[in-house]
């Protein structure tokens, strides 16, 4: 059962796909109070209660004990105290002694989540605008609650199979030659590769849907040659459109009135990479259709994937903000600048980007009504992703395209994946990547991953290697770094052989990972889960913050500390540890329930398979299409017969179906050993321990 309660005048955000009639009164779980426009929902917490969810955010898998704010933000230097990241995912799961429930705040504006921060025994959620629908999902099991929520918000985006391959990216790849060189460096060393992201450098003066013709003179042959190497190019598209007379997108948008406007009806000008820019009103259907169709010309060159960026939208400054900053600067000219004036002066320019005033300066036309941007701020990125997805759907309705974006809210999960934003080459961000996986999955974002190796600052080779060992499991596996930082391609490092070997594990596990992804997407399940979801009776397991469940068979526990030669792991049940060095070089160690120190050299990564389960392992390959989905070594610790549902499909069309795609692998006891059966599959039970 799902219950909906409306407050104020909620807007139809598009997050929910099923109609639930609104209840009268207020939801029993919360005390509701008002303060001006704001509405507060408050609930007492007992000592052992836990709170999961909130999607993209800092801190724990259990979100209790801190303050978060849903306000999509370009936080390129986020750390533990950052309250808002790039996405707003207002779904929480309360695990309480008094009964579990899930709650979704369907609110397109700012929402603050004080989850035991001000007062340890209270969660207070504040909608700043007070116009929202609240959905309450009671349920016994956490898995069930999430499944009901996911059915409410609709099926998660499914990318093409090739997008599960390793993707290399960097801000700064400046020419066709450079891209060809990078591919060559991978292929000649047999480092697996399926995609190459092209950042803003491919555009002419950072103008969307253009190529810089002096550095990328022939995109069609570039794409063709790349595909011959089994590599797809994935260009970036930004939200802001450069103000430049004669530039087609600008001229058309201007003429048709498609850009966001200020209260007086003039166009809002903000600056991003190209300088002064205008922002398509993606909340309008006609604007989405127009912008979505702009992808067609790029698709015509043979492209099959894109990433959408700066769609919070990020604003370096607005016309007005800049003027005001200059005015204030002028006022201090010739003055004696003391401590306060000095810091004030510094803040004038420091606070100019993404300023709250700027987000109040422009308006949208949403469902036929004028709405000020700050009231619907968190929808903007989602509606840009939707524009792109619908454009691709129109281009070829049966083909799967890769699409992932930076900014999102719930609803965007149906149109594309997301990456986890501009992280830093810090060990703590490797751990944050792990923690975000289950939280994002609960909110529908299955195709996700972080910038492996870290985006800002210089990576180190041990950090990159350990991060790849986590990235092996994340559906989006992309190494991305910022301009000006140390070059981060695998082949730049002395440990490249170890890194390459770790990548073979990704390709070896691909049939398993793809199966688990597709089963999660088609069944509205989480591919990554907190241990509390699978071991609710085990209080210790419920509190674990650095291990997560992967699919129904496995648990992962990556190393995330510098110089660590292993780590402590808690096993909530007996498990088989696979210590991988590569897809073909691994040890199998049965480990009993309990606490263990696990030795892991820098080139080794663990995977834990639950006793009684097994997984299929293919041989490694250098690109996804070369992975063998029919011949496997089965790995597991079995006492009895067992089975696994392997999923496969053509990977490129939308003809997915669990009924048609599942092939059962059955294992039975055969004297002291095991024998395996699976339709049209070559199975080697050599990795099964009894
Ligand atoms: C933003 C993106 C980052 C990209 C950069 C340049 O910071 O988050 O991934 O590399 O812009 O386009």
């Amino acid at each position: 059962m799902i219950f909906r309660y409306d407050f104020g005048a909620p807007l139809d955000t598009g997050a929910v796909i099923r109609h639930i009639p609104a209840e009268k009164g207020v939801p029993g779980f919360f005390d509701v109070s008002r303060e001006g426009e704001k509405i507060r929902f408050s609930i007492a917490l007992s000592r052992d209660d836990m709170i999961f969810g909130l999607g993209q955010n800092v801190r724990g898998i259990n979100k209790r004990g801190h303050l978060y704010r849903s306000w999509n933000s370009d936080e390129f230097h986020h750390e533990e105290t950052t309250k808002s990241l790039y996405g707003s995912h207002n779904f929480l799961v309360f695990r309480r002694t008094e009964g579990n429930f899930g709650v979704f705040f369907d609110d397109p504006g700012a929402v603050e989540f004080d989850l035991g921060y001000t007062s340890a025994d209270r969660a207070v959620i504040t909608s700043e605008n007070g116009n929202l629908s609240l959905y309450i999902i009671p349920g016994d099991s956490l898995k069930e609650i999430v499944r009901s929520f996911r059915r409410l918000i609709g099926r998660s985006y499914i990318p093409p199979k090739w997008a599960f391959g390793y993707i290399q990216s960097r801000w700064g790849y400046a020419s066709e030659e450079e891209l060809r060189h990078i591919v060559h460096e991978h292929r000649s060393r047999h480092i697996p590769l399926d995609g190459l992201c092209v950042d803003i450098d491919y555009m002419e003066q950072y103008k969307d849907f253009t190529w810089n013709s002096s550095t990328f003179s022939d995109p069609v042959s570039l794409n063709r040659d790349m595909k011959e190497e089994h590599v797809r190019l994935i260009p970036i598209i930004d939200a802001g459109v450069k103000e430049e007379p004669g530039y087609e997108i600008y001229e058309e948008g201007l003429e048709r009135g498609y850009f966001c406007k200020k209260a007086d009806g003039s166009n809002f000008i903000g600056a991003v990479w190209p300088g002064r820019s205008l922002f398509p009103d993606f909340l309008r259907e006609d604007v989405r259709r127009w912008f979505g169709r702009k992808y067609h010309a790029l698709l015509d060159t043979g492209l099959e994937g894109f990433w959408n960026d700066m769609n919070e939208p990020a604003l370096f400054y607005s016309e007005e903000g800049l003027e005001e900053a200059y005015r204030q600067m002028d006022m201090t000219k010739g003055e004696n600048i003391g401590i306060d004036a000095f810091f004030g002066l510094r803040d004038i320019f420091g606070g100019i980007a993404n300023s709250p005033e700027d987000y109040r300066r422009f308006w949208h036309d949403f469902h036929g009504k004028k709405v000020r941007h700050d009231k619907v701020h968190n929808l903007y990125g989602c509606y840009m992703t939707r524009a792109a997805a619908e454009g691709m759907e129109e281009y070829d309705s049966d083909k799967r395209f890769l699409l992932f974006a930076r900014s999102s809210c719930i609803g965007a999960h149906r149109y594309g994946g997301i990456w986890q934003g501009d992280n830093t080459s810090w060990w703590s961000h490797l751990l944050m990547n792990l923690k975000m996986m289950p939280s994002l999955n609960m909110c529908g974002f299955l195709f996700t991953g972080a910038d492996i190796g870290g985006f800002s600052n210089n990576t180190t080779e041990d950090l990159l290697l350990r991060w790849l060992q986590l990235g092996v499991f994340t559906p989006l596996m992309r190494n991305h770094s910022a301009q000006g930082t140390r070059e981060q391609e695998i082949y730049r490092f002395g440990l490249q052989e170890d890194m390459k070997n770790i990548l073979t594990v990704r390709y070896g596990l691909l049939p398993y990972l793809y199966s688990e992804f597709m089963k999660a997407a088609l069944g509205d399940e989480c591919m990554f889960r907190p241990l509390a979801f699978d071991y609710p009776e085990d209080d210790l397991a419920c509190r674990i913050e650095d291990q997560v469940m992967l699919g129904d068979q496995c648990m992962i526990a990556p190393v995330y500390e510098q110089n660590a030669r292993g780590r402590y792991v808690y096993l909530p049940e007996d498990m088989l540890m696979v210590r991988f060095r590569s897809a073909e070089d691994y040890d199998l160690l049965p480990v009993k329930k309990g606490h263990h120190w696990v030795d892991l050299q820098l080139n080794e990564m663990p995977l834990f398979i639950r006793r009684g389960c097994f997984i299929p392992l293919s041989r490694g390959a250098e690109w996804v299409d070369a992975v063998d989905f029919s011949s496997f070594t089965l790995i597991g610790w079995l006492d009895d017969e067992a089975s696994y549902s392997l999923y496969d499909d053509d990977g490129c069309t939308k003809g997915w179906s669990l009924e048609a795609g599942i092939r059962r692998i059955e294992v039975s006891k055969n004297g002291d050993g095991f024998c395996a059966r699976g339709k049209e599959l070559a199975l080697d039970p050599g990795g099964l321990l009894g």
Side-chain angles (χ1 to χ4, degrees), residues 465 468-470 472 477 497-507 580-583 602-605:
L465 178 51
L468 286 165
Q469 294 171 2
L470 166 62
V472 157
M477 187 187 191
E497 207 50 33
D498 294 333
M499 296 181 190
K500 177 177 98 181
N501 288 337
I502 290 302
L503 281 191
T504 66
V505 179
R506 164 65 163 214
Y507 286 75
F580 281 112
R581 287 170 291 275
S582 78
L602 196 50
N603 65 335
E604 294 179 320
M605 55 171 282

Side-chain angles (χ1 to χ4, degrees), residues 111-234:
V111 182
E112 188 185 71
F113 296 84
D114 178 340
L115 305 182
Y117 168 79
T118 303
S119 159
D121 59 2
R122 208 148 256 289
V124 182
I125 295 110
T126 308
S127 158
E128 295 187 10
N129 298 321
N131 298 313
L132 73 156
S133 294
L134 187 84
Y135 293 86
I136 301 269
I137 310 165
D140 287 334
S141 96
L142 304 178
K143 277 189 188 175
E144 239 172 73
I145 291 170
V146 172
R147 196 180 306 124
S148 306
F149 173 61
R150 294 272 302 284
R151 299 217 159 121
L152 177 69
I153 59 170
R155 208 205 50 235
S156 299
Y157 160 77
I158 296 176
K161 202 196 264 179
W162 63 262
F164 290 82
Y166 178 63
I167 299 175
Q168 179 56 51
S169 179
R170 182 170 171 85
W171 173 10
Y173 293 155
S175 69
E176 214 174 293
E177 287 68 48
E178 194 171 347
L179 297 184
R180 289 179 197 275
H181 174 75
I182 292 158
V183 172
H184 172 77
E185 293 297 309
H186 283 80
R187 287 286 176 249
S188 62
R189 294 172 158 87
H190 305 288
I191 300 172
L193 185 69
D194 270 274
L196 200 52
C197 281
V198 241
D199 210 314
I200 47 175
D201 321 87
Y202 80 93
M203 300 178 192
E204 189 202 306
Q205 294 177 45
Y206 309 129
K207 283 183 290 190
D208 277 342
F209 308 109
T210 65
W211 294 85
N212 180 336
S213 57
S214 58
T215 43
F216 292 88
S217 61
D218 188 354
V220 174
S221 32
L222 178 65
N223 275 321
R224 196 193 46 228
D225 296 350
M226 289 287 156
K227 280 198 201 165
E228 270 170 27
E229 294 279 4
H230 310 279
V231 173
R232 262 88 168 187
L233 287 188
I234 308 152

Side-chain angles (χ1 to χ4, degrees), residues 171 199-200 236 273 307 309-310 406 419 422 455 478 480:
W171 173 10
D199 210 314
I200 47 175
I236 195 169
W273 307 120
W307 49 311
D309 192 21
M310 307 296 275
R406 192 170 75 175
W419 87 98
D422 291 350
F455 174 74
R478 181 176 77 140
H480 181 52

